[in-house]
Amino acid sequence: GHHHPAAFLLFPSHEAAPLPFPHLFSLSPAIQTQNPQPLLIPLTLPNPTHHHHHSPSPFAPRCLLRLAVDRRDLDLGRATHAAAVKAQDNEDTRLGNALISMYLKLGRLSDARKVFDALPSPDVASFSSLISAYAKCGRPVEAAGLFCRMRFLGVEPNEFSFVAILTSCIRQLDSRLGSQVHAFAVKTDHCSCVHVSNALLGVYVKCGCASAAEQLFGEMVERDVSSWNAVMLGMVEECRYDEAFSLFNLMQMEGYQGDGFSLSTLLTAAAHGFRGAGGEAVHAYALKIGLELDLSVGNALVGFYAQFGCIEDVADVFWRMPIKDVTSWTGMLTGYMEFGMVESAVDIFDQMPERNCVTYNALLAGFCHNGEGARGLDLFQHILENDLEISDFTLTSAMNACGMVSDLKTSEQIHAFMIKSGCKSSSWVEAALLDMCAKCGRIEDAQKMFTSWAHEESFPVAWTSLICAHSRCGLHFEALHLFQSGLRRDDPVFMDEFALSMILGLCGTLGFVEVGQQLHCVVTKSGLLSDVEVGNALFSMYAKCGRLEDTINLFSQMPRHDTVSWNALITAYLIHRQGDMALDVWDNMNMVGIKPDFITFLLVISACRYTSLNSVDVCRRLFQSMESSYNIIPTSEHYSAMVDVLGYWGSFDEAEQLIKNMPSKPNASVWRALLDSCRFRSNMTLGRQAVQSLLELEPQDPSTYVLVSNLYAASGRWHCSEKVRQDMRGKGLQKHPVRSWIIHHNTMHSFYARDRSHPQSKDIYGALDILILECMKAGYEPDTCFVLHEVEEYQKKNFLFYHSAKLAVVYGLLISRPDQPVRVVKNIHLCGDCHAFMKYVSSVTGREISVRDASGFHNFRGGVCSCGDYWSELRYSSSTSDQSVLQP
């Protein structure tokens, strides 16, 4: 027959005999080539037709096995294995080790294990190879089992055995087994090997035992760069960034030069530790030693400048890299996203020669970071449709995107997908799911998840998300209850910057200054006063609690301010009705070069209503400068604020013209602003136009029905008022309940109109009756115009006397010291009669009374209010009476 030309070279014989194993070697693509190269390898496997008495040499099979690895030829490897078995060389441990190595390098762990199990006497190399393979593929039980079996059989482990089993400990974060192996290595004197010690360092660092790693490092007789790198990495993972830089300096002093891993670790420390100068110094060092173009260093520089630099620096490093991998491209994409250049990031994504799960995650997270929730959801749908890899990060980002757009239906679809695919294994995924449900209006679902929460490590995230959800829905009391329940746990909840900022905001909304002060202490002790977001939340809390002086002091002490800081300071003056001071802050803001945003203009335009002199000209210039000087397009909110100011100062013609010239159809907020001004200036003609427009725009809004009903009642048209109430009841619409509250000894005491649910209601009502008589002696006359019900006059007075704000103020007088101000919060505007009553109370009792309502603060002292009494003129708005139109 015809034989392959290489056959005689592989198996030389005394005559041109057929191949002894043609069915094996004829399958090998390494041999069956069109122009085969001669393989001059002496192979002495015996020919079955001849009987030789010399032992076969294993050299040739091992050469073939190396050839199989080099050419990635599994068939050749298996054929060589079969030949060795037939030649009865399977008891040769060295050949067995070569077979194990071949199978492992070709990704055939199961075949390697079969060879191992067939060896009668496996040696240390046999065990080490398989232990290492099991460690690398994440099978720690098999790795540990083989290590124990090796010891049981009396095979002494070498340095490779120790490194293999320690690699398994590193991958599985098994510090317990790692410490046991450490003890055994000390006993067998293998710790003197730098590779074993480095592997032990890796175990301790990855398992969060940096102190143990540093102790071992100090005991090492011999060190190399990897030793220093491991300890540096441990310091960085423990956020000890300055110590990592100090260790690197010591490493250089001892004559070691950093490598790519050293520099990339230091760049991570620089980025996370806000050491801009440190990162730039590392970059300079990389240039000096020729490592700037190293792939790992280049990738780390891209990440550093993306977080602590400018986009030009990121792009410069990226485009100068001679070799780029998928990490490099992903880093550039992330850089563009960090600087808000979404389209440039998408262009990079389109240019990428290779993409992986991390790339898609970076793009998805970037969309969320830049408020592009809808595009994030589109990308997630693309990932699903193309069966791309999904990680926990993918799911959390998708849920974050859904929460941003508050899409109820999509949130239910994502939730169903997670249940169907069994993705709810991670505590962080469940935390993101709860957050998504909360942001999409599924409060009950979020509450159910929270009630049965079993993941301690992610409890703070779930807790914070649910508190935020209740605050967003106006359920501030429920949010406060959740917060207090978290503090009463056996294991107190750790509060990060976000949680502290959010809860400080809640304290400000509720006027809960006592808890706010306690959180101030927490912020100070934790060193977070320098965090600009926490600082903003802290002084805003004091402003909303009526502590304006503390607000100004804290703002002055902040090391740096952003636009939000300045906006918050303007707001502080605004809610205290100090418009002139708010405009002074605006001037200072421009002087220091802080760029205003659309919220800034909304605030400073509104401030023109509270100035001591007519500020229409100032307001007009501010409004016109938005687009011409700052490239900010006015929104409906800006037009509403402008109309409010013009109407307040009596410029109705200009207000009406402004509404007519709006680029889009005026929304309800514009007409409400006009209506408030019409009531204040008694412009009934324009007011009727505003009411009609409101009814057309918001026929289903309960406040619109309340407004119309109250207007009918105020003009004595009781039949029309009652008809509107019946329509409202028939449609199932309800007015938001009016509530006033006061804080005493860290407890919130709430009151409603004619409310007798308080434990001390008997004392409160008795004291209020006495106080009413004293105020009437001083000149107070109840204004029954604020009772919008068709009842007898004496009944109107009964309604009027027991409004929620009066009850709360009287309770405050009863429980507080004479030198303390009484601080009350009301969730709507204070009615005119309550406003007049408070002035008399402050005069009769000699006490200071502070009431914060929906418009800002009313500070009553000696019979005078800080608001100048103009707000009390707004008699018949939808929110100036405690009397619900749904009451009988």
Side-chain angles (χ1 to χ4, degrees), residues 331-397:
M332 189 67 234
L333 183 155
T334 303
Y336 278 128
M337 285 296 191
E338 285 292 325
F339 289 96
M341 302 172 67
V342 178
E343 298 310 320
S344 298
V346 173
D347 289 342
I348 283 289
F349 179 81
D350 293 337
Q351 295 175 40
M352 290 181 67
E354 178 189 358
R355 300 169 188 151
N356 59 15
C357 175
V358 177
T359 307
Y360 281 93
N361 286 344
L363 186 62
L364 181 54
F367 283 139
C368 295
H369 176 73
N370 288 282
E372 300 271 4
R375 294 179 75 175
L377 289 176
D378 289 342
L379 178 62
F380 181 62
Q381 184 175 353
H382 171 81
I383 291 171
L384 294 180
E385 290 174 350
N386 290 273
D387 292 326
L388 301 174
E389 182 182 350
I390 295 176
S391 65
D392 286 354
F393 188 88
T394 315
L395 290 170
T396 54
S397 296

Side-chain angles (χ1 to χ4, degrees), residues 199-214:
L200 284 167
L201 289 174
V203 172
Y204 289 128
V205 167
K206 288 298 182 181
C207 294
C209 306
S211 57
E214 290 168 38

Side-chain angles (χ1 to χ4, degrees), residues 267 270-280 301-311 313-314 338-339:
L267 286 166
H272 292 174
F274 298 100
R275 289 180 55 117
E280 291 170 357
L301 283 169
V302 167
F304 166 73
Y305 284 120
Q307 190 171 346
F308 204 91
C310 61
I311 191 60
D313 294 332
V314 179
E338 285 292 325
F339 289 96

Side-chain angles (χ1 to χ4, degrees), residues 128-439:
S128 300
S129 297
L130 268 186
I131 293 171
S132 178
Y134 281 127
K136 290 176 181 176
C137 69
R139 295 170 64 175
V141 176
E142 290 90 337
L146 278 176
F147 190 80
C148 293
R149 180 178 167 187
M150 176 172 63
R151 293 290 301 121
F152 179 76
L153 294 176
V155 178
E156 288 298 322
N158 59 16
E159 61 268 25
F160 299 105
S161 313
F162 280 103
V163 170
I165 190 62
L166 290 170
T167 300
S168 178
C169 297
I170 292 171
R171 288 175 176 262
Q172 299 301 317
L173 304 180
D174 191 344
S175 59
R176 182 180 178 185
L177 178 58
S179 60
Q180 292 172 347
V181 174
H182 186 181
F184 184 49
V186 170
K187 184 178 178 181
T188 57
D189 196 31
H190 278 93
C191 279
S192 58
C193 173
V194 68
H195 302 296
V196 175
S197 294
N198 287 346
L200 284 167
L201 289 174
V203 172
Y204 289 128
V205 167
K206 288 298 182 181
C207 294
C209 306
S211 57
E214 290 168 38
Q215 180 180 347
L216 173 61
F217 180 76
E219 297 169 354
M220 288 176 65
V221 179
E222 180 187 357
R223 299 171 183 159
D224 59 12
V225 175
S226 297
S227 315
W228 295 87
N229 287 346
V231 180
M232 263 191 289
L233 179 62
M235 291 176 173
V236 170
E237 291 188 350
E238 286 196 343
C239 304
R240 295 157 55 192
Y241 306 120
D242 291 336
E243 292 180 57
F245 275 91
S246 298
L247 185 67
F248 181 71
N249 291 334
L250 180 61
M251 170 182 165
Q252 290 178 287
M253 291 171 59
E254 294 200 9
Y256 294 92
Q257 178 174 290
D259 58 10
F261 188 89
S262 314
L263 301 190
S264 58
T265 301
L266 287 177
L267 286 166
T268 301
H272 292 174
F274 298 100
R275 289 180 55 117
E280 291 170 357
V282 174
H283 192 176
Y285 181 79
L287 284 167
K288 180 180 177 182
I289 64 174
L291 280 176
E292 185 207 13
L293 301 180
D294 177 82
L295 181 60
S296 62
V297 175
N299 289 342
L301 283 169
V302 167
F304 166 73
Y305 284 120
Q307 190 171 346
F308 204 91
C310 61
I311 191 60
E312 290 78 14
D313 294 332
V314 179
D316 180 63
V317 171
F318 175 76
W319 292 115
R320 289 180 60 202
M321 291 174 65
I323 300 174
K324 303 178 183 71
D325 60 7
V326 67
T327 304
S328 317
W329 287 91
T330 304
M332 189 67 234
L333 183 155
T334 303
Y336 278 128
M337 285 296 191
E338 285 292 325
F339 289 96
M341 302 172 67
V342 178
E343 298 310 320
S344 298
V346 173
D347 289 342
I348 283 289
F349 179 81
D350 293 337
Q351 295 175 40
M352 290 181 67
E354 178 189 358
R355 300 169 188 151
N356 59 15
C357 175
V358 177
T359 307
Y360 281 93
N361 286 344
L363 186 62
L364 181 54
F367 283 139
C368 295
H369 176 73
N370 288 282
E372 300 271 4
R375 294 179 75 175
L377 289 176
D378 289 342
L379 178 62
F380 181 62
Q381 184 175 353
H382 171 81
I383 291 171
L384 294 180
E385 290 174 350
N386 290 273
D387 292 326
L388 301 174
E389 182 182 350
I390 295 176
S391 65
D392 286 354
F393 188 88
T394 315
L395 290 170
T396 54
S397 296
M399 288 185 281
N400 186 19
C402 185
M404 292 175 68
V405 299
S406 300
D407 190 327
L408 174 64
K409 185 176 180 181
T410 303
S411 75
E412 291 173 341
Q413 291 173 341
I414 293 176
H415 194 170
F417 166 77
M418 292 177 60
I419 295 173
K420 185 177 179 180
S421 58
C423 295
K424 289 175 59 180
S425 56
S426 166
S427 61
W428 303 109
V429 171
E430 291 206 30
L433 176 61
L434 184 147
D435 186 59
M436 178 188 69
C437 291
K439 289 177 179 176

Side-chain angles (χ1 to χ4, degrees), residues 674-820:
L674 181 63
L675 182 59
D676 282 342
S677 299
C678 289
R679 283 198 299 269
F680 181 65
R681 296 290 181 182
S682 300
N683 189 330
M684 301 307 296
T685 303
L686 199 56
R688 278 193 293 270
Q689 181 185 344
V691 169
Q692 185 177 355
S693 299
L694 266 177
L695 289 172
E696 291 174 356
L697 286 171
E698 295 184 335
Q700 298 300 317
D701 188 345
S703 63
T704 302
Y705 281 86
V706 174
L707 170 65
V708 176
S709 175
N710 289 351
L711 287 172
Y712 281 137
S715 61
R717 299 165 67 181
W718 301 109
H719 175 72
C720 295
S721 174
E722 179 60 28
K723 186 176 184 301
V724 172
R725 294 181 214 172
Q726 289 176 353
D727 289 344
M728 184 176 173
R729 282 193 291 264
K731 294 180 179 180
L733 302 177
Q734 291 185 343
K735 178 187 174 186
H736 191 66
V738 179
R739 175 188 281 181
S740 299
W741 62 88
I742 189 169
I743 309 293
H744 179 60
H745 288 167
N746 280 347
T747 303
M748 181 176 295
H749 300 266
S750 297
F751 299 90
Y752 299 91
R754 304 192 305 280
D755 179 20
R756 294 183 180 271
S757 62
H758 195 278
Q760 295 176 256
S761 61
K762 185 176 180 180
D763 296 334
I764 295 170
Y765 275 79
L768 178 56
D769 290 339
I770 295 171
L771 193 57
I772 289 171
L773 291 175
E774 292 298 318
C775 289
M776 292 178 78
K777 289 178 184 178
Y780 163 63
E781 293 184 7
D783 190 347
T784 56
C785 292
F786 290 96
V787 181
L788 304 178
H789 294 278
E790 189 180 12
V791 292
E792 297 297 330
E793 190 69 15
Y794 77 92
Q795 290 177 301
K796 288 186 178 182
K797 288 184 179 180
N798 187 54
F799 281 147
L800 202 61
F801 288 157
Y802 306 118
H803 276 189
S804 63
K806 293 185 177 76
L807 296 172
V809 166
V810 170
Y811 180 68
L813 291 171
L814 291 175
I815 60 174
S816 59
R817 297 196 311 267
D819 60 331
Q820 286 182 321

Side-chain angles (χ1 to χ4, degrees), residues 7-234:
F8 300 101
L9 296 172
L10 286 168
F11 291 92
S13 62
H14 298 290
E15 57 183 31
L19 280 172
F21 315 110
H23 61 287
L24 293 175
F25 282 92
S26 61
L27 298 175
S28 175
I31 297 176
Q32 289 185 341
T33 56
Q34 191 171 2
N35 298 300
Q37 298 296 321
L39 304 177
L40 303 177
I41 303 172
L43 181 61
T44 57
L45 288 177
N47 190 319
T49 60
H50 299 276
H51 300 280
H52 299 283
H53 298 285
H54 62 274
S55 299
S57 169
F59 173 71
R62 291 205 300 274
C63 290
L64 284 173
L65 293 174
R66 282 196 295 270
L67 180 65
V69 171
D70 292 341
R71 299 193 178 187
R72 311 298 299 171
D73 189 346
L74 181 60
D75 289 335
L76 176 57
R78 282 178 168 165
T80 307
H81 184 188
V85 171
K86 194 144 189 175
Q88 299 181 349
D89 278 348
N90 56 315
E91 295 185 4
D92 185 342
T93 302
R94 293 180 62 193
L95 181 57
N97 290 342
L99 284 165
I100 291 172
S101 176
M102 180 272 296
Y103 279 125
L104 291 176
K105 289 176 181 177
L106 294 179
R108 303 293 302 180
L109 177 55
S110 59
D111 290 335
R113 182 59 190 257
K114 290 176 183 176
V115 174
F116 175 85
D117 291 337
L119 288 176
S121 302
D123 61 8
V124 66
S126 317
F127 280 101
S128 300
S129 297
L130 268 186
I131 293 171
S132 178
Y134 281 127
K136 290 176 181 176
C137 69
R139 295 170 64 175
V141 176
E142 290 90 337
L146 278 176
F147 190 80
C148 293
R149 180 178 167 187
M150 176 172 63
R151 293 290 301 121
F152 179 76
L153 294 176
V155 178
E156 288 298 322
N158 59 16
E159 61 268 25
F160 299 105
S161 313
F162 280 103
V163 170
I165 190 62
L166 290 170
T167 300
S168 178
C169 297
I170 292 171
R171 288 175 176 262
Q172 299 301 317
L173 304 180
D174 191 344
S175 59
R176 182 180 178 185
L177 178 58
S179 60
Q180 292 172 347
V181 174
H182 186 181
F184 184 49
V186 170
K187 184 178 178 181
T188 57
D189 196 31
H190 278 93
C191 279
S192 58
C193 173
V194 68
H195 302 296
V196 175
S197 294
N198 287 346
L200 284 167
L201 289 174
V203 172
Y204 289 128
V205 167
K206 288 298 182 181
C207 294
C209 306
S211 57
E214 290 168 38
Q215 180 180 347
L216 173 61
F217 180 76
E219 297 169 354
M220 288 176 65
V221 179
E222 180 187 357
R223 299 171 183 159
D224 59 12
V225 175
S226 297
S227 315
W228 295 87
N229 287 346
V231 180
M232 263 191 289
L233 179 62

Side-chain angles (χ1 to χ4, degrees), residues 372-628:
E372 300 271 4
R375 294 179 75 175
L377 289 176
D378 289 342
L379 178 62
F380 181 62
Q381 184 175 353
H382 171 81
I383 291 171
L384 294 180
E385 290 174 350
N386 290 273
D387 292 326
L388 301 174
E389 182 182 350
I390 295 176
S391 65
D392 286 354
F393 188 88
T394 315
L395 290 170
T396 54
S397 296
M399 288 185 281
N400 186 19
C402 185
M404 292 175 68
V405 299
S406 300
D407 190 327
L408 174 64
K409 185 176 180 181
T410 303
S411 75
E412 291 173 341
Q413 291 173 341
I414 293 176
H415 194 170
F417 166 77
M418 292 177 60
I419 295 173
K420 185 177 179 180
S421 58
C423 295
K424 289 175 59 180
S425 56
S426 166
S427 61
W428 303 109
V429 171
E430 291 206 30
L433 176 61
L434 184 147
D435 186 59
M436 178 188 69
C437 291
K439 289 177 179 176
C440 294
R442 298 166 57 192
I443 295 289
E444 291 183 3
D445 290 339
Q447 185 69 56
K448 287 177 183 176
M449 291 180 62
F450 183 78
T451 303
S452 59
W453 201 259
H455 308 288
E456 188 63 32
E457 68 276 12
S458 60
F459 179 86
V461 177
W463 177 67
T464 305
S465 296
L466 201 57
I467 293 174
C468 281
H470 282 88
S471 295
R472 277 194 300 270
C473 296
L475 305 172
H476 304 301
F477 298 93
E478 292 81 355
L480 180 66
H481 176 72
L482 269 173
F483 168 64
Q484 292 173 327
S485 67
L487 296 182
R488 288 193 294 266
R489 297 174 79 240
D490 294 335
D491 185 15
V493 181
F494 169 77
M495 291 182 285
D496 59 8
E497 294 92 327
F498 177 78
L500 282 168
S501 300
M502 183 271 299
I503 297 169
L504 282 167
L506 177 63
C507 291
T509 300
L510 296 175
F512 216 139
V513 70
E514 288 86 354
V515 173
Q517 288 173 319
Q518 293 169 8
L519 290 173
H520 188 170
C521 295
V522 173
V523 169
T524 303
K525 289 179 180 178
S526 59
L528 290 173
L529 271 176
S530 59
D531 183 273
V532 67
E533 291 183 6
V534 174
N536 292 341
L538 185 60
F539 80 77
S540 294
M541 180 274 298
Y542 280 114
K544 292 176 182 177
C545 292
R547 308 278 284 269
L548 186 58
E549 187 175 342
D550 291 334
T551 300
I552 298 167
N553 290 336
L554 275 169
F555 179 86
S556 303
Q557 294 168 17
M558 287 176 65
R560 65 187 184 97
H561 307 100
D562 58 8
T563 304
V564 177
S565 312
W566 290 92
N567 288 349
L569 186 60
I570 294 172
T571 303
Y573 283 117
L574 198 57
I575 61 177
H576 285 82
R577 307 178 196 279
Q578 298 185 23
D580 295 316
M581 294 300 297
L583 292 177
D584 286 344
V585 174
W586 161 255
D587 292 336
N588 293 334
M589 182 178 177
N590 284 318
M591 197 179 304
V592 298
I594 298 294
K595 186 178 179 180
D597 59 12
F598 73 99
I599 295 176
T600 313
F601 279 100
L602 185 61
L603 295 170
V604 293
I605 289 172
S606 300
C608 294
R609 177 172 180 164
Y610 301 105
T611 52
S612 54
L613 299 174
N614 189 321
S615 299
V616 168
D617 291 339
V618 175
C619 186
R620 192 184 298 114
R621 286 196 300 270
L622 285 168
F623 187 81
Q624 292 170 350
S625 70
M626 287 180 63
E627 192 168 357
S628 61

